Amino acid sequence: MSNNYAAMSEFVKRLNRLIRIPSVYREDEPPFGKDVRRALHELLEIGKEDGFTIKNVDDYAGHVEFGEGEKLFGILAHLDVVPDGSGWSVPPFELTEKDGKLFGRGVQDDKGPLMAAYIAMKELKEEGFVPRKRVRLIAGTDEEREWKGIDYYFTKEEMPEFGFTPDAVFPVIHAEKGLWDIHLARDISEDFASETTYIETISGGSRLNMVPEAAEVTIIHRGEEALTFPEAERICRNGEKLTVVFAGSSAHGSTPDRGVNAIKKALKSLAGVSLPAPQKEMIEWMNTYLSDSTGKELGIDSKDEVSGALTLNFGTLHGNEEKWEIGLNIRYPVTESYAELINKMKDSLPGWLAFKETDHMSSIYLPEDHAGIQTLMQAYRSVSGRKEKPEAIGGATYARVLKTGVAFGAVFPESPDTAHQADEMVLQEDMRKAIDIYKQAIFTWTR
């Protein structure tokens, strides 16, 4: 076990060096911006100072390594973060300690967990432990966008025999649903100039993997009867134009029912408005087929015992007088056939909707009796004293790029999930335990 005071002191000191770098993707310097590159260089400098073997793979990713042997044990984490946004009560790019918590952009996703794994490696090395397999902490740089950093890394470097990513929750995440992003579009080549009422623009959501918290509709209305929208957040009138804003509450795309979808609120409010045929047809179709989060109306609903039910998040809708486009994020059970899912989806669509797949990640699954799962669970249970079983999630982690690997920590199920939010934070106690859990897991797998 760690000397908790010493371990946390080392953890905080090194983590602060990473948090103070605003490693958000930018186009100022390739491949992902100068600040992302600075964060990678800083981690490698920390590793060099502590006596590890380090390598920078063309600024796309890098690693910190110790141990001997032909086989490789990998720990995959990422250094890039989402933008800080607004609403912070502390500086987002300074590590702030308060009331047993650590605040800063990236402390939970994923610089804090990365550093917990690093300190576990550092303590083992300083205690004289020589792993019979090489232990490699691999730091990616584009996880929040397109994963180009880690994908490039594995075109140049070897694949670990087994590994984990500290970018989820404890205990072990032994299954991750398949992820599928699609867009459905309709071209509208009609002139609405003579119409009494029509939608000029409709817009909601910016990311497919988030429940949209706002939607806005602009309507041209020349009729004498008043249009009312009881669920609207606000309505602004300017002559013939009405701008109607709807508010919801955001949630992660893997759990759409935890949020309130502002696009769906807007569409329900528009159902009673007299509109041109193609716009009315679109609204009726969306209200019928995208009304729930199970995919039942589209004929794609499914579930299994390993990973649960399919979820469908209606993430974006953008339209004008010429074209409307829908964006959907679907997370399907690990036993579901992706090919069959595509066929079911296409069969359910009307001819006037064009189908386009924009992203897909296959599901991953390791049985609970896999040797790697057993090793990680043993480490988790021996340190924490807890008895949970491995779990499945709808999220996507770097475990998907490993030939064999899983997500493993670094926060606990009951801890606040503040990733991507203002005042992102982790509990110091979670990080103390994570260091010991990772230390035990590395020792057991590589001794």
Side-chain angles (χ1 to χ4, degrees):
M1 299 288 283
S2 298
N3 177 329
N4 277 341
Y5 177 80
M8 285 306 295
S9 176
E10 295 291 303
F11 172 84
V12 169
K13 181 171 65 175
R14 286 163 178 75
L15 179 58
N16 185 49
R17 291 171 62 175
L18 298 180
I19 295 298
R20 68 189 182 190
I21 301 172
S23 49
V24 178
Y25 170 83
R26 303 189 194 285
E27 297 181 352
D28 51 4
E29 291 183 19
F32 309 116
K34 64 180 181 182
D35 287 329
V36 173
R37 185 172 63 187
R38 282 176 57 210
L40 176 61
H41 289 192
E42 188 70 16
L43 175 66
L44 297 180
E45 180 61 28
I46 290 170
K48 182 179 179 181
E49 292 169 3
D50 290 330
F52 288 101
T53 300
I54 63 170
K55 185 172 184 180
N56 182 343
V57 181
D58 302 330
D59 285 336
Y60 279 82
H63 65 242
V64 174
E65 180 182 308
F66 84 120
E68 300 175 353
E70 293 184 4
K71 293 183 178 180
L72 180 67
F73 177 71
I75 303 170
L76 278 65
H78 65 92
L79 290 162
D80 60 309
V81 298
V82 297
D84 51 323
S86 60
W88 288 75
S89 65
V90 296
F93 295 111
E94 294 179 19
L95 189 63
T96 301
E97 299 181 66
K98 184 170 63 175
D99 300 328
K101 303 171 184 176
L102 296 171
F103 294 84
R105 176 59 83 222
V107 293
Q108 186 174 116
D109 184 20
D110 188 34
K111 293 176 179 178
L114 178 154
M115 189 51 62
Y118 177 89
I119 294 298
M121 292 171 58
K122 179 177 180 292
E123 289 202 335
L124 286 169
K125 184 173 73 70
E126 291 178 348
E127 289 168 6
F129 174 62
V130 180
R132 295 184 179 180
K133 301 173 184 178
R134 288 168 293 137
V135 180
R136 179 178 290 182
L137 174 62
I138 302 168
T141 53
D142 189 38
E143 195 271 350
E144 298 293 357
R145 294 178 64 255
E146 299 175 338
W147 291 27
K148 290 181 179 179
I150 202 69
D151 289 343
Y152 180 88
Y153 176 88
F154 281 117
T155 67
K156 302 290 185 178
E157 298 293 323
E158 66 185 291
M159 178 65 65
E161 168 200 35
F162 178 71
F164 70 82
T165 177
D167 194 14
V169 295
F170 288 120
V172 173
I173 306 301
H174 75 125
E176 296 183 14
K177 293 178 181 177
L179 268 73
W180 191 30
D181 288 345
I182 65 172
H183 284 85
L184 306 174
R186 179 174 187 173
D187 291 324
I188 301 173
S189 57
E190 294 190 23
D191 185 0
F192 298 138
S194 61
E195 298 285 349
T196 302
T197 305
Y198 66 92
I199 294 172
E200 185 178 56
T201 63
I202 184 167
S203 181
S206 59
R207 296 171 57 187
L208 297 191
N209 66 349
M210 297 297 293
V211 175
E213 62 183 1
E216 181 175 299
V217 187
T218 59
I219 301 172
I220 303 300
H221 179 59
R222 304 185 181 101
E224 294 182 1
E225 76 281 8
L227 298 182
T228 60
F229 302 94
E231 290 195 70
E233 182 76 4
R234 66 180 183 274
I235 302 173
C236 300
R237 291 179 171 84
N238 183 8
E240 297 178 342
K241 181 179 292 190
L242 281 72
T243 301
V244 190
V245 177
F246 297 85
S249 61
S250 188
H252 196 276
S254 63
T255 54
D257 288 340
R258 293 183 183 178
V260 177
N261 193 310
I263 294 174
K264 292 183 180 181
K265 288 179 68 175
L267 293 173
K268 288 179 181 178
S269 295
L270 291 167
V273 179
S274 180
L275 294 166
Q279 294 186 346
K280 188 173 183 62
E281 194 173 38
M282 276 287 290
I283 290 168
E284 288 178 349
W285 186 87
M286 289 185 284
N287 277 331
T288 300
Y289 289 90
L290 304 180
S291 59
D292 74 327
S293 61
T294 67
K296 182 178 180 180
E297 297 300 328
L298 290 169
I300 61 172
D301 57 315
S302 62
K303 63 181 178 180
D304 61 25
E305 292 185 2
V306 175
S307 57
L310 178 147
T311 61
L312 181 151
N313 182 51
F314 189 170
T316 62
L317 174 63
H318 300 289
N320 53 36
E321 297 175 53
E322 297 179 352
K323 182 177 182 179
W324 286 33
E325 185 169 87
I326 299 163
L328 304 177
N329 175 251
I330 297 166
R331 298 167 190 249
Y332 61 88
V334 298
T335 58
E336 176 66 84
S337 165
Y338 169 57
E340 290 183 10
L341 194 65
I342 292 177
N343 290 333
K344 290 177 183 177
M345 170 67 80
K346 289 182 176 179
D347 287 345
S348 72
L349 299 179
W352 41 261
L353 265 182
F355 171 94
K356 180 182 180 181
E357 177 183 291
T358 53
D359 195 18
H360 175 252
M361 289 185 178
S362 299
S363 60
I364 62 171
Y365 167 64
L366 287 181
E368 292 186 26
D369 61 359
H370 184 277
I373 300 289
Q374 292 296 307
T375 297
L376 299 184
M377 286 302 301
Q378 178 187 359
Y380 171 75
R381 289 169 174 162
S382 66
V383 172
S384 71
R386 298 166 62 138
K387 304 298 182 183
E388 295 105 324
K389 294 183 178 180
E391 296 184 359
I393 61 172
T397 74
Y398 271 169
R400 293 174 187 261
V401 303
L402 290 168
K403 182 178 180 181
T404 308
V406 293
F408 185 45
V411 298
F412 290 82
E414 69 276 8
S415 298
D417 180 2
T418 60
H420 296 197
Q421 300 176 29
D423 283 351
E424 180 179 347
M425 69 87 179
V426 289
L427 303 178
Q428 288 182 291
E429 184 61 23
D430 280 3
M431 294 299 100
R432 289 191 186 97
K433 291 178 182 177
I435 291 169
D436 283 338
I437 292 169
Y438 293 152
K439 187 175 177 182
Q440 183 64 46
I442 295 167
F443 175 79
T444 303
W445 187 260
T446 64
R447 63 185 173 182

